[in-house]
Amino acid sequence: MSKPCVIVGCGAHASAVISIIEASNEQYKIIGLADTANSFDPNEKKSGYSVISTLNELLSSPEKYINFNYVLAIGNSDERALVFDRLAQRHFLMPNVISRHAIIDRTVKLGVGNIIGHCCIINSNVTLGDNNLINSGAIIEHHCSIGKHTHIAPKALLCGGVQVFDSVFIGAGATITPNLTIEANSIIGAGSLLLNSISDRKLTYIGVPAKVKI
């Protein structure tokens, strides 16, 4: 039986999330989208699905919406974390949504609310916390650990044994070499090559090899 779901977020990322939902091995029925703004345009559509509500309306009437599944379509990690926490506080269900075109090893441990896109590879003994966005073609090798609210962009590569704390952004095509640690709120620029662990928060690293952006 199809599981009814609502997509939270109406930006450009919503269409990509819809594609992953439609390619999931789970059967979801998309009811519509909820805008994170204070109002919504009932004529707006994403990939053929209508915007039907706002996040505030969902949260103000939990008894009406509690039985749906909620999938976050928000690319910005900070905003996604805030929305995730608001929904979690009301005990809304946020499933892991995984494209059937992804390869996920049987030993992978998942929290909730993770979105794993097309052609991703997540290898053995990886742990993902909650509300992570693993974008198209990203590779997370064996024994990596990812915290919460992290965005791993398309074709990024995490080699074995990498530990990533919360709210990290790893840009498209970036490479993280084995056994490194990346502190919370770090940013790794697109195409960068990280050779050393990051112990300071809220810094941006770019280049080959990656260095702090000044």
Side-chain angles (χ1 to χ4, degrees):
M1 186 172 67
S2 296
K3 300 177 181 179
C5 78
V6 173
I7 297 163
V8 181
C10 299
H13 187 60
S15 294
V17 169
I18 289 169
S19 179
I20 296 167
I21 294 171
E22 293 180 338
S24 171
N25 284 323
E26 297 285 342
Q27 296 296 314
Y28 291 104
K29 180 181 179 182
I30 298 174
I31 304 301
L33 294 88
D35 203 320
T36 56
N38 292 327
S39 61
F40 72 98
D41 178 0
N43 295 314
E44 182 179 5
K45 291 189 175 184
K46 298 291 181 181
S47 297
Y49 297 99
S50 296
V51 181
I52 60 171
S53 185
T54 66
L55 174 63
N56 287 337
E57 182 181 340
L58 301 181
L59 294 171
S60 65
S61 304
E63 70 286 346
K64 180 178 179 181
Y65 296 103
I66 195 67
N67 293 322
F68 293 163
N69 294 266
Y70 293 87
V71 181
L72 273 57
I74 302 169
N76 179 277
S77 293
D78 291 338
E79 183 182 355
R80 196 170 68 254
L82 289 172
V83 172
F84 177 89
D85 289 343
R86 292 181 70 189
L87 290 168
Q89 287 169 4
R90 299 296 182 92
H91 306 292
F92 281 37
L93 180 62
M94 289 175 281
N96 296 306
V97 178
I98 303 170
S99 170
R100 66 174 175 269
H101 305 299
I103 299 173
I104 313 296
D105 188 81
R106 63 176 178 79
T107 59
V108 172
K109 296 180 180 179
L110 297 173
V112 298
N114 295 292
I115 298 175
I116 301 174
H118 305 311
C119 301
C120 292
I121 299 174
I122 303 182
N123 218 325
S124 60
N125 296 288
V126 167
T127 299
L128 286 179
D130 300 334
N131 191 36
N132 296 294
L133 173 57
I134 315 299
N135 228 316
S136 305
I139 297 175
I140 303 175
E141 271 298 341
H142 61 91
H143 294 92
C144 287
S145 175
I146 314 294
K148 299 184 293 184
H149 316 310
T150 283
H151 184 172
I152 299 178
K155 293 193 174 181
L157 167 62
L158 278 64
C159 295
V162 172
Q163 183 176 11
V164 179
F165 287 95
D166 297 348
S167 299
V168 169
F169 177 79
I170 299 176
T175 298
I176 315 300
T177 53
N179 302 314
L180 300 188
T181 298
I182 302 177
E183 189 52 83
N185 302 107
S186 300
I187 296 173
I188 315 299
S192 296
L193 172 64
L194 189 67
L195 298 176
N196 298 293
S197 292
I198 297 174
S199 57
D200 295 320
R201 293 180 174 221
K202 297 185 178 180
L203 293 179
T204 298
Y205 284 73
I206 58 173
V208 179
K211 297 181 180 180
V212 176
K213 181 181 178 181
I214 299 175

